[in-house]
Amino acid sequence: MSSVILLHMSTTDKPETVRFTTKGQVVIPLRLRKQFDIEAGTKAVVQATSEGILLKPMTAALIKRGRGILKRAPGGKPLALKEDWAEHKKQERALEERHAR
């Protein structure tokens, strides 16, 4: 049986039960959406782990904390993050279109 694990959830929080729809969708309880600053349209990274499914919301606060962690080598070229992100979005749209059919 797979489980949903939320990033930075303390072990003292009361576990909550959610149901999967036929499309695999779940509704994250309001308390957790507020705790993790999840708003309508927030994307998340979903990853299989030995414990189950890890769901990492990609919120503005999370992105801000991650800024500056990718350092370039002295004299190296800046990372082509803009181009990489554009390619990622293109692939994501193609996948969404394929699954919508």
Side-chain angles (χ1 to χ4, degrees):
M1 173 182 246
S2 295
S3 61
V4 176
I5 303 167
L6 296 173
L7 183 67
H8 301 301
M9 185 173 170
S10 72
T11 56
T12 59
D13 286 340
K14 178 184 143 204
E16 298 192 38
T17 301
V18 297
R19 294 186 190 276
F20 288 87
T21 67
T22 56
K23 291 184 175 184
Q25 301 166 327
V26 297
V27 175
I28 304 299
L30 179 62
R31 179 182 64 80
L32 294 173
R33 293 194 313 264
K34 285 183 177 181
Q35 180 179 347
F36 293 96
D37 299 320
I38 299 170
E39 300 172 347
T42 298
K43 292 193 176 193
V45 174
V46 180
Q47 181 178 0
T49 71
S50 60
E51 301 259 343
I53 300 169
L54 177 62
L55 178 65
K56 298 181 195 177
M58 300 304 297
T59 62
L62 180 66
I63 292 168
K64 188 175 181 179
R65 281 196 309 265
R67 284 191 182 143
I69 61 172
L70 297 175
K71 302 291 183 193
R72 62 181 172 193
K77 289 175 46 178
L79 297 174
L81 199 51
K82 185 176 180 181
E83 291 80 9
D84 288 347
W85 183 251
E87 180 61 28
H88 167 77
K89 296 302 287 179
K90 180 180 172 185
Q91 291 174 359
E92 186 177 69
R93 278 191 299 277
L95 279 172
E96 288 175 353
E97 289 172 5
R98 243 187 312 184
H99 290 291
R101 295 179 197 163

